[in-house]
Amino acid sequence: MQDGGDIDPNQELVAHGPANILSGLFGGFLVVGSLSKTSVAMAAGARTQLANLVAAVFCFLTLVLLTPLFRGLPHPALAAIVIAAMLHLSRPAYLRDLLARDRREFAIAAIVIAGELTLGVLDGIALGVVLSLLLLIYTTSHPHGAVLGQLPGTEAYRNVGRHPEALTFPGLLIWHAGGDLFFASISHLDAGLRAALAASRPPASHVLLDADSVNFIDTSACDALLGFIKKVQSQGVSFAFARVRDSVRERMRLAGIEAAVGSTNFYERVTDGVLAWQQQKSNPS
């Protein structure tokens, strides 16, 4: 809320549901929230629900006693009153900040505003919901994977594209999975790993997958990942995992991934996986 308070959606539903049921049973009006009325109340200094009770009393008195005074008032004048009351809720600075922070979210906001002005409020809101869902689907199905390197003098591993100073290890590819793995996102992990292996110089002989951001993996992703692992293993590339969550590892075990890479090739830290690879490289026997 603009005044810093919190809104409980469940409480709002409990309030509106019974009110509309009773209104329907007794032939009353639909009970809904009103942004314009809220804006007017806030502009007048309202702070509690008592303002609604006072407004209801004055509305009743106006309907009973003062209706003839408003009969000749044109609709544009009423609209101007509502618009004037709503102006303080407009936030151009927020849109400028949104443009600087995320162009896709700004585009959705701009489309929703245009939709509400041309199609109507409800249709504009529906358009915004659809666009937001499409953006969510695209984001979750396109996890941002990255090749990791070690920051000098630390045990931290970062995206080498954003941190050119990060150190990589010849023959080792450390790949960070950017999000949950399921039927719509596993193909992007597969494509990213293939591209990274093809671009590694010298060619990588070991892949360490950092799964810290993977909170969920479904059956389709497990099967596809197992197929990828077996394929690279047939090409002489070994595979290991780091920072795999217990629930994800259990699914991997049931899918046969743990058996394919070996239970000892699951590490608690990326550093542990790197050290194990270095030790194995220095002692191939």
Side-chain angles (χ1 to χ4, degrees), residues 172-285:
L172 171 64
L173 173 65
I174 308 175
W175 182 262
H176 176 71
D180 295 336
L181 301 178
F182 58 104
F183 65 92
S185 65
I186 188 61
S187 61
H188 296 280
L189 174 71
D190 188 297
L193 274 172
R194 290 179 187 275
L197 283 171
S200 61
R201 293 293 182 271
S205 60
H206 184 73
V207 174
L208 178 61
L209 180 63
D210 178 17
D212 178 60
S213 61
V214 180
N215 297 304
F216 169 77
I217 183 170
D218 70 357
T219 303
S220 299
C222 284
D223 294 341
L225 183 58
L226 178 61
F228 176 83
I229 292 172
K230 289 182 176 180
K231 184 173 183 178
V232 297
Q233 286 177 337
S234 67
Q235 298 171 351
V237 179
S238 55
F239 213 95
F241 291 91
R243 303 198 292 179
V244 180
R245 302 183 188 277
D246 291 340
S247 58
V248 175
R249 183 170 180 178
E250 177 62 19
R251 283 182 169 269
M252 289 183 174
R253 185 187 66 80
L254 295 174
I257 295 176
E258 183 175 302
V261 302
S263 59
T264 58
N265 288 319
F266 283 78
Y267 303 98
E268 293 298 324
R269 303 182 303 164
V270 175
T271 297
D272 296 336
V274 173
L275 293 176
W277 170 77
Q278 290 174 333
Q279 184 178 3
Q280 184 179 12
K281 186 179 180 182
S282 60
N283 300 299
S285 59

